[in-house]
Amino acid sequence: MRVPLSWLTDFAPFGSDIELIAGSLDELGLVVEGFQEVGAGLEEIVVAKVLAIDPIEGADRIRLVTVDAGEAEPLEVVCGAWNFSVGDLVPYSPVGARLPNGMKIERRRMKNVISNGMLCSQAELGLGDDSSGLFVLAPMELSGGLPASQTMRSRAVDPSGASLAEPGARLLDALGIAGDVVFDLAVEPNRPDALCIAGVARDLAAKLGLPFAIPDPTPPPAGGQSVDALLSLVVRSPELCPSFTLRVLTGVCVTRSPWWMAHRLVLAGMRPINSVVDSSNYVMLELGQPNHPYDLSKLNGGVVVRKAREAEVVTTLDGVERRVGVSDARVAKGAPAEDCLICDGNDMPIGIGGIMGGAASEIDSETSSVALEAAYFAPMAIARTAKRLGLRTEASMRFERGCDPMGIERAAVRFCELVSSTCGSSVRLSPGVLQESESPPRPLRLKVRVGRVNSVLGTELEPEEVKSLLVPIGFAVEAADTQDRAISAASGESDGALYVGVPSFRPDVSREIDVIEEIARHHGYARIRRTRPCSPQVGLLSQRQKERRFVREVLAGLGASEAWTSSFLAPGDHLAVGLDAGSKVELVLANPLAKEESVLRQSLLPGLLKALAFNVSRRQDWLRLFEVGRVFLPADRHRSSDEGRSTDEGRSTDEGRSDCDGLPEERELVALLLAGEGDGAAQAVEAWRTLAMSLRLDGTEIVAGQPPGLHPARSAWILQRDLGPGSPVIGVVGEVDPKVAESFGTEAGSLAGHRRRLGWLEVDLGALATLPRAAGMDKPPSRFPSSDIDLAFEVKDDVPASKVQETLRGAAGPLLVEVRLFDVYRGSPLGQGVRSLAFRLRFAASDRTLTDKEISAVRAQCIHAVEGAHAAVLRS
Amino acid sequence: MIEAAGLDSKDGLAYDQAVREALGEKAEQEVSSCETLEALRQLEGALLGKRSRLAQLHQQLGSLDPSERKVLGRLLNERKARLKSLIDTRRAELDRADEQARLAAERMDLTEVIAGRRRGTLHLVSRTQSELEDTFVGMGFTVAEGPEVETDWNNFEALNIPPDHPARGMWDTFYLDVGKPESVLMRTHTSPVQVRLMQSHQPPIYSVMPGRCYRRDTPDARHLSIFHQIEGLVVDTGISFSDLAGTIEAFTTTYFGPSIHSRLRPAYFPFTEPSAEFEITCTICEGQGCRTCSQTGWIELGGCGMVDPEVFASVGIDSEIWTGFAFGFGIDRCAQMRQGIADLRILMENDIRFLEQA
């Protein structure tokens, strides 16, 4: 909200210490997001009096104006404007000055006359949007601009009064805007009271210890027919509109607003329209009460406030046709559309209550009688309607946060006062008020325990201090009555309870804790001492958290850089990596920002392939990327094999969450994309082994298969060994299917034509956590020499080397220290479909040197076992 | 040196002469001018071997007059020993030269080694997250986690944000197209982890909740629609606003350094009361005022406050017995501030040239 200091100063003497004021606003939580100096750049502009206007020979658009600018001699200035006459006071920019728009004023010769400076319009001075002619300074502007009834504590009015309007006076001083600034405040949603100038002034005055008062407005003289003779009022939906009032002003002459009013509206960020509409907006900005003026002649004799019927159409002031009374499933979980309409005497809609008026009853230059609506609308109803229509206005914003139900009358009278001072002298207030109001709720009275205040804030405030903080912002504070005191004394309480009456403009305060916040705000957060609680527990990471970090370190050690890709994929991405797609198996956002980011990922592959393509297209060809992140599976796809998977042993909060809330299953995966030079399935397997060894995993196996998206003949599942068919999948390893890689554009750029193999490893971190780990350091190395034997077998291609190795491990018995595949050979003299697998087995005993006899016995066992189990032949 | 003096017989003189010829200066010169180990080996054979002049002289020694034999025998042995030692010395020299030559032949330019694979790095955000976690772990906090897809209840209602509450406008939310409309969403903060924690654990609670969050905001230089946040929750007896202020300050000076401080100013969050924004000394100018902090010397980091009694009520904690505070801020923002990153969007681009700087 934009708040001019000069306007604030109508309510309390704030002075001119901008830094103090801005700092205090910050401390109150009315954060100053910026401020603008009013009239910056106008320091050299002075008031000049027009002495003579003469035609220039040969020119019909410009005239020579002689002015008194306070200098010894009158000055001649060429001017193209026609809206002034001799005797007027106008702004004069001397030669050498620079206007706010950057224009430098120079002495110029035009049609043989010399122009010594420039006479300016509002627009040229940045003081308004009027560029139709000079800014003629009317007496009201120069007097400081406010109606006589307005208190004028703030004005930099010269005590002598007159001198400011003399030729040669600084324009800034003459207009009373010297030193004015506009604060741009961020007002939190719980502070509807601060959505107006007076409310900000109240808070600020309390903080600075200054007297604050809102002057009582004076209505124009009463006259003409009484209101009920001119108009009728029916409120059919008091639940949407608990309070509605109408007043009528006659004899109104709609005109351009005086400069001071237009100027304030502009400073506050609103566009001046005409004197009636501007008065209405002015009241809203000043007092926070939205209100609406209707042209009485367009109301057909009445106003009806009712719920909108199904799909009714209203044309709002902005010229847009809006359909109301239409339920939107996304608003309030499909609650019926309860939009409040304001209708005329014929029940035709003339506005959306509390949000925007209609075009049909608009004030125009012909308007002579004005009906003013000032009402209180139900905040929730306004919020729903505004959301449904996608229409947030200054009025709806204030109503939905909660206006002051007791502030209606003051605002209405203030409007009447403003209209009477801006719309001609014949303005009369029709006697009476049309009003339909439910009896206002009783003011809240809250019990506030001073002991509680201090224990929540860590302060040591006395009841009197608490009171002195609350009273200036409108709260009524009384000490607990004697009866209460007796009770607290009896129960041993020394809380020192206070009873706090909440003002009607603070709908956000309804509990003791809300009052405590007000106390803290005005006491000052900075004055609350700083202590540190002592945690009774030892801080640590859970096993799972430590392991996640460790996995990251291991993968980085393999030369991979950690990437962080989007959780949202494009609709075709799952299909592209061989996963099922469609509404049954995919989770989709109801309101994505873009279609390309609308599907919750089930694999890290699309994201990392996109990241690779991004880099390849920037000529970063060889790289390894990894990611640790969540994937999301629909709730009904929980697989039985995953049951009993334990969660984090630390402070996991996932426990039991799928019982009732039906949330999707989330898995935390770690994936590695190997796109380095020479990378492929072998490097992916090596990476998996490094990871498995680093984590001391015991009992996993690589089982050939065709995981989706991967190369059909160069990929495998990673499973837990010995669990047989259906054992849970821990991950996949191998190579990305070249077609898949291609569809993500990873072959772009300099590598076009050169087929790259992409190694891929994706592992479920949650599944890893459940795997058995190799025992600790329970096997001391033997002190006796070890013996190696090398065995090479001819084995058919369809027998996995891992199976042969397993057989060897089984047959070698307890003396085996390790078995390692160290050579694979294909080619002559071996036949097609056969390869030689060479293993080295190392044996040792802890208590003796092994004999040749023992070794050859084990050797024979191994050969026999492999030849028997795998139809293999020992190579000689 | 034994002089020839004292030899009487002609034989003795001749023998002496022969020893000096065979093992004298000439032989010594030959040894020291030997250039290869092989030449030295041959020379050694010729001078001291079985068929050498020395061997002959040894044999002849017996035929000499016994009175001279002793003197000449000593001469022979001394000459032999001297020559042997010269040969050994020369051999060692040649050996050393040989070894040097062999090593020299293995010469390698260590600057011509071809670069191997790239350096692996952790993502700036995960590194920052770990650092933040470690800071709080050091202060006695545990680290709690929870799902990224949440119920409306956990993300909003339990936090005192009922449907249609105007404050919902503070969080633009991605909803999932499952179940009832707007019942399942991408969490907009990690606060639902606090809700789950308070439901499943009795106080005292001292935990932080880091993780990925989602807001339906068009990304710009300072905001991402997918971002990372860390929140903290303390629930215990006698916890006050001054504990909150002290904890924030302790974290700030620990994590950012002793010259960086914190300050709180009033704010509004539905789930805390009183609520505050917390700002820290601008890390760029250390409070002097610069463009980053709009000349204020302070930059906004996050929000915090005392847990609202309504929140305690919704998770079944008695707010008359327990009080607590919560705070939260962006991990990405933290990284941005510490690293001076102009545009946050680079965090999600995964440009290897950026990742590798982490």
Side-chain angles (χ1 to χ4, degrees):
Chain A
M1 196 172 91
R2 290 171 56 84
V3 178
L5 174 60
S6 54
W7 202 342
L8 279 179
T9 309
D10 286 353
F11 303 97
F14 289 116
S16 56
D17 187 342
I18 308 297
E19 232 168 82
L20 172 73
I21 291 168
S24 304
L25 288 167
D26 272 348
E27 283 174 36
L28 288 166
L30 302 170
V31 175
V32 179
E33 294 195 316
F35 65 86
Q36 176 204 332
E37 284 174 53
V38 180
L42 298 182
E43 294 78 4
E44 292 169 86
I45 314 295
V46 297
V47 175
K49 185 171 190 176
V50 179
L51 301 177
I53 306 172
D54 298 304
I56 298 173
E57 205 184 314
D60 49 6
R61 300 207 171 172
I62 52 175
R63 296 182 295 178
L64 184 65
V65 183
T66 308
V67 296
D68 171 4
E71 293 176 24
E73 296 292 322
L75 293 164
E76 290 187 337
V77 182
V78 174
C79 181
W82 294 73
N83 67 325
F84 58 98
S85 44
V86 171
D88 280 348
L89 294 172
V90 293
Y92 164 72
S93 177
V95 171
R98 197 179 278 278
L99 296 183
N101 63 11
M103 182 183 192
K104 178 138 197 222
I105 306 302
E106 282 164 34
R107 181 168 285 117
R108 289 175 64 196
R109 172 180 289 273
M110 281 178 278
K111 303 274 180 193
N112 280 329
V113 292
I114 292 184
S115 180
N116 298 292
M118 178 174 163
L119 304 179
C120 308
S121 71
Q122 283 183 20
E124 281 158 346
L125 297 172
L127 289 174
D129 57 359
D130 187 354
S131 59
S132 63
L134 295 190
F135 182 12
V136 180
L137 305 170
M140 186 177 269
E141 264 92 69
L142 295 171
S143 70
L146 294 176
S149 63
Q150 184 69 52
T151 336
M152 302 211 336
R153 301 189 182 102
S154 61
R155 294 284 143 165
V157 180
D158 191 298
S160 66
S163 70
L164 287 180
E166 292 297 315
R170 284 207 315 162
L171 179 70
L172 290 177
D173 298 327
L175 293 174
I177 59 175
D180 195 12
V181 296
V182 180
F183 299 103
D184 197 353
L185 302 185
V187 177
E188 299 282 10
N190 69 329
R191 294 293 309 281
D193 67 296
L195 286 175
C196 63
I197 308 290
V200 171
R202 179 190 294 114
D203 223 20
L204 185 61
K207 186 77 179 175
L208 295 171
L210 299 171
F212 164 86
I214 302 179
D216 284 325
T218 313
Q225 285 179 285
S226 75
V227 179
D228 40 15
L230 295 167
L231 208 54
S232 66
L233 169 67
V234 182
V235 176
R236 294 226 179 90
S237 306
E239 73 283 6
L240 299 179
C241 177
S243 183
F244 195 96
T245 67
L246 283 170
R247 283 173 173 77
V248 172
L249 292 167
T250 55
V252 173
C253 171
V254 180
T255 136
R256 175 184 278 276
S257 292
W259 180 79
W260 64 267
M261 180 183 271
H263 176 62
R264 282 193 166 180
L265 292 178
V266 169
L267 290 184
M270 290 191 99
R271 195 165 56 88
I273 293 168
N274 61 48
S275 52
V276 172
V277 173
D278 292 351
S279 296
S280 162
N281 286 331
Y282 190 97
V283 168
M284 176 180 70
L285 292 172
E286 183 174 75
L287 300 174
Q289 171 66 49
N291 58 87
H292 190 76
Y294 300 91
D295 184 330
L296 179 69
S297 68
K298 298 176 183 171
L299 290 179
N300 288 314
V303 169
V304 178
V305 181
R306 63 164 171 84
K307 205 177 292 180
R309 302 188 187 101
E310 177 98 25
E312 238 172 316
V313 173
V314 196
T315 305
T316 41
L317 272 175
D318 51 6
V320 179
E321 274 196 9
R322 299 183 189 270
R323 193 171 291 270
V324 292
V326 180
S327 295
D328 177 343
R330 284 186 40 219
V331 175
K333 314 213 166 180
E338 300 208 316
D339 300 324
C340 184
L341 284 188
I342 314 296
C343 302
D344 67 7
N346 294 341
D347 203 32
M348 290 303 293
I350 52 170
I352 304 172
I355 297 181
M356 196 182 270
S361 56
E362 206 174 340
I363 303 292
D364 58 35
S365 55
E366 307 295 308
T367 302
S368 64
S369 295
V370 173
L372 178 80
E373 163 203 317
Y376 178 81
F377 292 93
M380 280 303 203
I382 294 293
R384 285 195 202 104
T385 299
K387 188 175 176 191
R388 220 169 2 236
L389 298 177
L391 183 60
R392 285 227 147 77
T393 61
E394 293 278 341
S396 76
M397 181 196 42
R398 286 175 172 82
F399 280 126
E400 75 176 54
R401 293 175 183 196
C403 286
D404 178 3
M406 312 297 279
I408 292 175
E409 175 159 1
R410 176 192 294 278
V413 176
R414 174 70 168 143
F415 171 82
C416 296
E417 177 187 54
L418 289 171
V419 169
S420 92
S421 75
T422 62
C423 301
S425 52
S426 53
V427 174
R428 293 291 176 275
L429 176 61
S430 297
V433 178
L434 290 178
Q435 176 162 12
E436 280 213 30
S437 301
E438 295 187 322
S439 56
R442 278 182 42 159
L444 261 183
R445 193 157 167 272
L446 299 170
K447 182 177 170 188
V448 174
R449 297 160 293 169
V450 176
R452 179 73 177 176
V453 171
N454 287 324
S455 75
V456 168
L457 298 180
T459 48
E460 282 148 12
L461 297 172
E462 295 296 326
E464 273 311 303
E465 289 176 271
V466 170
K467 188 175 174 184
S468 71
L469 293 171
L470 289 173
V471 169
I473 49 172
F475 288 79
V477 181
E478 319 153 23
D481 53 36
T482 39
Q483 193 192 344
D484 249 44
R485 241 180 246 156
I487 292 169
S488 33
S491 61
E493 282 179 40
S494 56
D495 265 353
L498 298 173
Y499 282 98
V500 174
V502 180
S504 58
F505 51 80
R506 290 306 300 267
D508 57 306
V509 177
S510 59
R511 304 167 301 166
E512 181 184 47
I513 192 71
D514 301 324
V515 178
I516 293 176
E517 179 170 65
E518 291 306 297
I519 295 166
R521 232 165 38 85
H522 279 272
H523 176 66
Y525 282 11
R527 288 172 62 199
I528 295 175
R529 71 199 151 105
R530 294 172 173 193
T531 53
R532 258 180 71 195
C534 181
S535 170
Q537 73 193 5
V538 174
L540 32 83
L541 296 178
S542 72
Q543 212 45 47
R544 171 79 176 271
Q545 288 158 352
K546 286 180 193 160
E547 192 156 292
R548 182 190 296 129
R549 287 191 183 187
F550 183 64
V551 165
R552 284 196 169 111
E553 297 286 352
V554 169
L555 295 180
L558 290 171
S561 287
E562 185 176 15
W564 232 333
T565 71
S566 174
S567 308
F568 304 142
L569 299 178
D573 287 347
H574 281 140
L575 268 184
V577 296
L579 294 171
D580 291 341
S583 60
K584 288 239 167 64
V585 289
E586 281 183 325
L587 291 160
V588 180
L589 293 180
N591 57 340
L593 275 174
K595 196 96 184 130
E596 295 68 46
E597 299 210 326
S598 62
V599 179
L600 272 67
R601 65 180 176 186
Q602 297 184 3
S603 162
L604 302 182
L605 184 54
L608 284 175
L609 285 177
K610 286 178 191 180
L612 176 62
F614 178 93
N615 282 292
V616 166
S617 70
R618 281 156 185 77
R619 305 186 61 246
Q620 302 291 320
D621 293 323
W622 304 114
L623 51 115
R624 293 176 163 188
L625 294 173
F626 78 95
E627 179 171 9
V628 178
R630 309 255 183 114
V631 297
F632 308 87
L633 306 169
D636 50 10
R637 285 187 67 201
H638 281 224
R639 289 193 303 222
S640 56
S641 56
D642 293 331
E643 277 168 18
R645 223 173 71 203
S646 79
T647 45
D648 193 358
E649 307 98 282
R651 283 229 146 145
S652 167
T653 50
D654 289 13
E655 300 150 35
R657 67 181 170 81
S658 50
D659 300 346
C660 50
D661 51 24
L663 286 178
E665 183 194 353
E666 290 182 26
R667 295 186 184 186
E668 189 175 32
L669 303 186
V670 53
L672 173 66
L673 179 63
L674 298 167
E677 207 159 0
D679 276 343
Q683 287 64 37
V685 170
E686 220 173 284
W688 162 242
R689 286 192 183 147
T690 304
L691 189 60
M693 281 189 291
S694 308
L695 292 170
R696 310 174 62 84
L697 294 183
D698 199 14
T700 63
E701 61 180 344
I702 291 176
V703 177
Q706 297 188 353
L710 300 193
H711 192 301
R714 282 173 163 255
S715 303
W717 303 101
I718 300 171
L719 303 175
Q720 190 170 350
R721 193 161 47 217
D722 304 330
L723 288 190
S727 73
V729 173
I730 294 160
V732 297
V733 63
E735 246 169 63
V736 179
D737 186 328
K739 276 266 177 292
V740 170
E742 200 180 307
S743 71
F744 282 88
T746 60
E747 297 291 323
S750 60
L751 283 172
H754 177 109
R755 211 177 98 189
R756 160 212 294 276
R757 292 191 181 280
L758 300 178
W760 179 249
L761 169 68
E762 191 176 48
V763 179
D764 187 328
L765 270 184
L768 279 192
T770 68
L771 290 175
R773 305 300 162 109
M777 309 181 67
D778 59 350
K779 269 192 249 161
S782 170
R783 298 172 173 281
F784 297 89
S786 59
S787 310
D788 289 352
I789 56 173
D790 290 354
L791 296 172
F793 297 96
E794 287 176 26
V795 188
K796 286 205 182 103
D797 274 340
D798 59 3
V799 177
S802 60
K803 294 287 172 201
V804 179
Q805 185 158 334
E806 245 171 73
T807 305
L808 283 170
R809 196 184 291 279
L815 296 176
L816 184 71
V817 178
E818 66 165 332
V819 54
R820 191 162 64 84
L821 177 67
F822 72 91
D823 189 41
V824 180
Y825 174 75
R826 285 184 173 82
S828 167
L830 302 177
Q832 272 291 348
V834 177
R835 84 283 204 200
S836 157
L837 299 173
F839 294 91
R840 174 160 298 163
L841 297 88
R842 170 161 293 188
F843 296 93
S846 59
D847 54 351
R848 63 189 191 281
T849 305
L850 295 175
T851 63
D852 289 351
K853 206 174 145 197
E854 280 176 296
I855 297 294
S856 58
V858 175
R859 184 174 186 274
Q861 278 172 35
C862 289
I863 294 166
H864 181 73
V866 171
E867 288 187 338
H870 304 297
V873 181
L874 183 74
R875 297 188 74 199
S876 42
Chain B
M1 172 76 60
I2 296 162
E3 295 303 315
L7 293 176
D8 320 326
S9 71
K10 187 177 151 224
D11 282 353
L13 283 171
Y15 190 89
D16 179 80
Q17 185 69 26
V19 169
R20 286 175 198 280
E21 265 169 31
L23 306 172
E25 265 176 44
K26 181 162 166 273
E28 287 178 10
Q29 264 166 22
E30 277 173 358
V31 168
S32 52
S33 61
C34 236
E35 289 303 326
T36 67
L37 282 169
E38 177 57 21
L40 186 64
R41 195 183 58 79
Q42 283 177 14
L43 180 64
E44 187 179 16
L47 293 174
L48 307 175
K50 282 181 181 153
R51 289 194 197 110
S52 64
R53 186 76 181 107
L54 172 72
Q56 288 174 7
L57 289 169
H58 251 297
Q59 280 177 1
Q60 289 166 13
L61 202 58
S63 61
L64 290 179
D65 181 273
S67 66
E68 290 173 335
R69 190 189 300 158
K70 197 176 171 191
V71 177
L72 290 171
R74 201 161 69 225
L75 173 70
L76 183 67
N77 281 333
E78 289 209 14
R79 282 282 157 184
K80 179 185 168 186
R82 180 180 160 80
L83 206 52
K84 185 106 177 62
S85 126
L86 275 174
I87 287 170
D88 287 345
T89 307
R90 184 61 186 157
R91 184 184 292 114
E93 281 170 16
L94 290 176
D95 255 344
R96 200 156 53 239
D98 230 37
E99 175 69 12
Q100 274 167 4
R102 206 166 58 239
L103 293 178
E106 290 176 4
R107 178 183 172 280
M108 179 177 166
D109 177 0
L110 296 187
T111 64
E112 71 187 17
V113 175
I114 291 165
R117 69 177 174 221
R118 291 166 181 266
R119 182 170 70 99
T121 45
L122 300 190
H123 197 280
L124 175 63
V125 173
S126 72
R127 215 186 61 197
T128 307
Q129 181 176 327
S130 296
E131 289 165 0
L132 292 168
E133 287 170 358
D134 292 345
T135 304
F136 285 108
V137 164
M139 291 165 72
F141 286 64
T142 56
V143 179
E145 295 169 10
E148 292 174 14
V149 177
E150 267 293 3
T151 59
D152 183 84
W153 197 85
N154 282 333
N155 195 79
F156 287 127
E157 284 196 55
L159 295 163
N160 194 27
I161 318 170
D164 294 321
H165 191 285
R168 285 218 175 184
M170 294 163 77
W171 299 273
D172 288 317
T173 311
F174 285 117
Y175 290 96
L176 261 65
D177 206 358
V178 295
K180 278 182 291 178
E182 303 201 348
S183 61
V184 179
L185 46 79
M186 303 304 298
R187 67 178 177 194
T188 58
H189 40 203
T190 57
S191 309
V193 184
Q194 297 190 22
V195 172
R196 290 169 178 274
L197 192 57
M198 287 190 282
Q199 284 178 318
S200 59
H201 291 80
Q202 276 298 312
I205 292 170
Y206 291 76
S207 281
V208 289
M209 308 76 195
R212 193 176 266 207
C213 304
Y214 303 82
R215 285 189 199 166
R216 199 178 174 279
D217 290 325
T218 307
D220 61 32
R222 284 161 55 96
H223 303 89
L224 297 173
S225 55
I226 302 180
F227 62 101
H228 302 85
Q229 203 193 31
I230 186 165
E231 292 185 4
L233 174 69
V234 168
V235 182
D236 206 341
T237 52
I239 295 292
S240 69
F241 194 88
S242 67
D243 292 325
L244 166 62
T247 301
I248 296 282
E249 176 68 9
F251 156 73
T252 305
T253 51
T254 309
Y255 182 75
F256 290 100
S259 60
I260 306 296
H261 295 280
S262 63
R263 70 171 186 189
L264 305 182
R265 67 176 186 208
Y268 168 71
F269 305 107
F271 33 78
T272 49
E273 186 99 355
S275 302
E277 296 270 8
F278 69 93
E279 296 176 299
I280 61 166
T281 316
C282 177
T283 51
I284 307 291
C285 63
E286 300 211 332
Q288 299 303 303
C290 67
R291 255 180 51 210
T292 305
C293 59
S294 314
Q295 306 303 329
T296 61
W298 296 92
I299 33 182
E300 195 179 307
L301 190 61
C304 59
M306 300 300 292
V307 178
D308 195 290
E310 294 296 325
V311 175
F312 278 144
S314 67
V315 295
I317 289 179
D318 184 342
S319 60
E320 284 294 312
I321 300 173
W322 305 98
T323 48
F325 63 77
F327 57 84
F329 54 92
I331 297 172
D332 319 67
R333 276 279 288 148
C334 234
Q336 179 179 38
M337 269 160 20
R338 279 213 0 187
Q339 303 294 326
I341 294 167
D343 191 330
L344 269 185
R345 285 169 289 193
I346 200 169
L347 293 177
M348 295 294 270
E349 272 181 352
N350 296 307
D351 190 322
I352 191 79
R353 294 165 296 181
F354 174 76
L355 297 180
E356 285 190 339
Q357 293 174 45

